[in-house]
């Protein structure tokens, strides 16, 4: 296993971590939680020492299963993270509701403290402001009380928005989605975090399965390796110097083997070098929005890069509405507000037909 230093902490973490949101559904339904825990134990055996879980994952069983596995080894053999936000603390948010949620997590994981506790699922700067104002002080108190070691955040924001949260100096690390499809959206964020001495953990390295489902289109990732496309996509993320851990969603022991294989003899490179290396490569990259953000400033407040990212999903054979609703949390109908003023198209670095695409999104919503 290849290990990296987590930001400016003294923690040495595996370059691939176990994303504990994909325990086997059939096993969970049948109550075979031991079988799921065996997979996490296998990951430990193979050198993976970072486990990322949360309330609600896997029918709310993920923390329990992960605890069943981790409690079988010494506490110093692993790092574990979980998450909290206004969705986990209930409508009445106070020190008691926050603490009670955290204690549930600690009990399920059978640990006295968490290594990382995320302010969870920040979709925009507005949601960041709302969540941090309501909860950050409770995180700080929990750290003082020894219940968590590091306060971190997880977000679905783009690079420039991430930079603003990073600039607060309030977080030891962050968790974001990053892969060969969307890296241009986020690259400035990981660079800013690394410069601050933060750990950077990335989720969704396979692009929600789009990359392994389109092996020919992403074959360029495997060039010079004997890896399959899924392994190469994981390696793509892990090879960034700025990225500490690439999380692999693991259901079976074979997924652990894949993850371990993907970082064998890893060579790390700066993100800027990787971006230059892959420029122009990839699936229909000319038609894809790169997330550069130059089109911002819409007079009717349409967050164009997010809508164009959702349209990317269509080009890749996926659902626009799913992306808008579950990833970005914005309504498709808003695309219908476009007045076709043309301002954004005049600035688009990819010369995309933004007006036409917004009209299509509005029609489909
Ligand atoms: S063309 Fe539409 S989306 Fe673009 S800036 Fe004008 S109103 Fe906004
Ligand atoms: S300028 Fe074009 S490529 Fe860049 S974010 Fe906007 S729509 Fe996407």
């Amino acid at each position: 296993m290849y290990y990296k230093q987590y930001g400016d902490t003294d923690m040495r973490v595996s370059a691939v971590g176990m994303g504990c949101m994909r325990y086997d559904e059939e096993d969970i339904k049948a109550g075979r939680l031991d079988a799921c825990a065996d997979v996490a134990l296998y990951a430990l055996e193979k050198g993976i020492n970072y486990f990322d879980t949360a309330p609600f994952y896997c029918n709310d069983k993920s923390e329990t299963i992960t605890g069943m596995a981790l409690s079988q080894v010494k506490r110093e053999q692993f790092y574990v993270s979980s998450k909290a936000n206004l969705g986990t603390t209930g409508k009445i948010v106070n020190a008691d509701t926050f603490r009670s949620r955290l204690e549930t997590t600690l009990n399920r994981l059978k640990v006295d403290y968490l290594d990382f506790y995320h302010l969870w699922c920040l979709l925009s700067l507005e949601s960041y402001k709302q969540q941090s104002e309501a909860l950050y002080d409770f995180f700080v108190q929990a750290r003082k009380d020894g219940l968590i070691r590091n306060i971190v955040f997880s977000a679905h924001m783009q690079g420039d928005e991430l930079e603003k949260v990073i600039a607060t100096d309030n977080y030891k690390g962050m968790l974001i989605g990053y892969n060969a499809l969307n890296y241009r959206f986020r690259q400035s964020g990981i660079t800013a975090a690394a410069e601050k001495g933060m750990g950077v953990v990335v989720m969704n390295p396979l692009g929600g399965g789009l990359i392994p489902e389109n092996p020919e289109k992403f074959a360029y990732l495997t060039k010079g390796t004997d890896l399959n496309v899924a392994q190469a996509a994981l390696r793509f993320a892990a090879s960034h110097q700025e990225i500490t851990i690439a999380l692999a969603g693991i259901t079976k022991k074979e997924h652990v083997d894949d993850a371990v294989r993907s970082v064998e003899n890893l060579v790390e490179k700066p993100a800027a070098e990787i971006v230059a290396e892959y420029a122009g490569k990839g699936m229909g990259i000319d038609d894809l929005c790169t997330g550069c953000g130059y089109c911002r400033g819409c007079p009717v407040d349409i967050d164009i890069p997010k809508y164009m990212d959702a349209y990317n999903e269509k080009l890749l054979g996926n659902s626009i509405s799913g992306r808008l609703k579950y990833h970005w949390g914005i309504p498709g109908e808003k695309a219908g507000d476009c007045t076709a003023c043309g301002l954004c198209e005049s600035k688009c670095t990819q010369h995309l037909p933004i007006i036409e695409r917004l009209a299509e999104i509005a029609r489909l919503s």
Side-chain angles (χ1 to χ4, degrees), residues 37-51 65-80 109-113 115:
D38 268 356
V39 177
L41 274 172
Y42 183 69
L44 269 164
E45 210 178 285
K46 294 290 172 183
I48 291 176
N49 69 358
Y50 184 95
F51 294 80
I65 295 166
T66 307
M68 287 164 67
L70 298 182
S71 58
Q72 296 184 48
V73 300
K74 289 187 184 145
R75 181 65 183 89
E76 58 272 23
Q77 280 179 252
F78 61 86
Y79 299 109
V80 66
L109 287 166
K110 302 185 203 286
V111 291
D112 296 329
Y113 63 89
D115 299 287

Side-chain angles (χ1 to χ4, degrees), residues 289-295 305 308 348-350 352 354:
C289 165
T290 62
C292 66
Y294 281 90
C295 54
M308 292 303 104
C348 178
T349 52
Q350 291 279 93
L352 299 179
I354 297 173

Side-chain angles (χ1 to χ4, degrees), residues 308-321:
M308 292 303 104
D309 167 74
Y311 199 90
N312 281 353
E313 294 293 316
K314 180 196 161 171
L315 298 174
L316 292 160
N318 236 1
S319 146
I320 293 180
S321 58

Side-chain angles (χ1 to χ4, degrees), residues 6-9 172 192-199:
Y6 187 101
D8 60 11
T9 73
K172 278 296 206 183
E195 279 168 5
K196 278 267 182 202
M198 286 168 61

Side-chain angles (χ1 to χ4, degrees), residues 147-294:
L147 301 179
I148 60 177
R149 277 184 157 186
N150 294 288
I151 303 172
V152 292
F153 69 88
S154 80
H156 294 287
M157 292 185 262
Q158 298 187 42
D160 55 345
E161 294 170 324
L162 290 169
E163 285 175 56
K164 293 196 171 77
V165 180
I166 291 161
T168 64
D169 279 330
N170 280 346
Y171 302 93
K172 278 296 206 183
M174 68 175 187
L175 168 64
I176 58 163
Y178 192 93
N179 54 53
L181 284 174
N182 72 4
Y183 62 100
R184 292 175 185 83
F185 289 90
R186 306 270 161 81
Q187 188 249 319
S188 67
I190 65 165
T191 303
E195 279 168 5
K196 278 267 182 202
M198 286 168 61
V200 176
V201 183
V202 301
M203 54 187 158
N204 198 18
L206 305 187
L210 282 172
I211 297 172
E213 282 156 19
N214 297 279
E216 289 118 50
K217 309 232 165 66
F218 292 98
Y220 66 93
L221 292 172
T222 65
K223 201 170 159 228
T225 75
D226 57 356
L227 303 176
N228 64 34
V229 168
Q231 293 164 345
L234 202 50
R235 190 181 181 89
F236 169 84
S239 63
H240 288 65
Q241 261 171 16
E242 295 82 351
I243 291 175
T244 321
I245 303 166
L247 287 182
I250 287 172
T251 306
K252 302 171 178 166
K253 289 183 180 174
E254 294 93 283
H255 297 154
V256 174
D257 295 333
D258 273 348
V260 172
R261 179 95 212 284
S262 72
V263 292
E264 267 169 18
N265 308 313
L266 187 69
V267 177
E268 295 184 54
K269 294 179 196 169
E273 205 177 293
I274 294 174
V275 169
E277 189 178 331
Y278 290 109
K281 292 182 184 162
M283 181 175 181
I285 204 79
D286 289 346
D287 291 332
L288 292 176
C289 165
T290 62
C292 66
Y294 281 90

Side-chain angles (χ1 to χ4, degrees), residues 295 297-302 304 337-345 354-355 358:
C295 54
C298 167
V300 292
D301 287 333
I302 296 173
I304 301 163
D337 289 356
C338 173
T339 60
C341 73
L343 185 65
C344 57
E345 287 194 358
I354 297 173
I355 299 170
L358 286 173

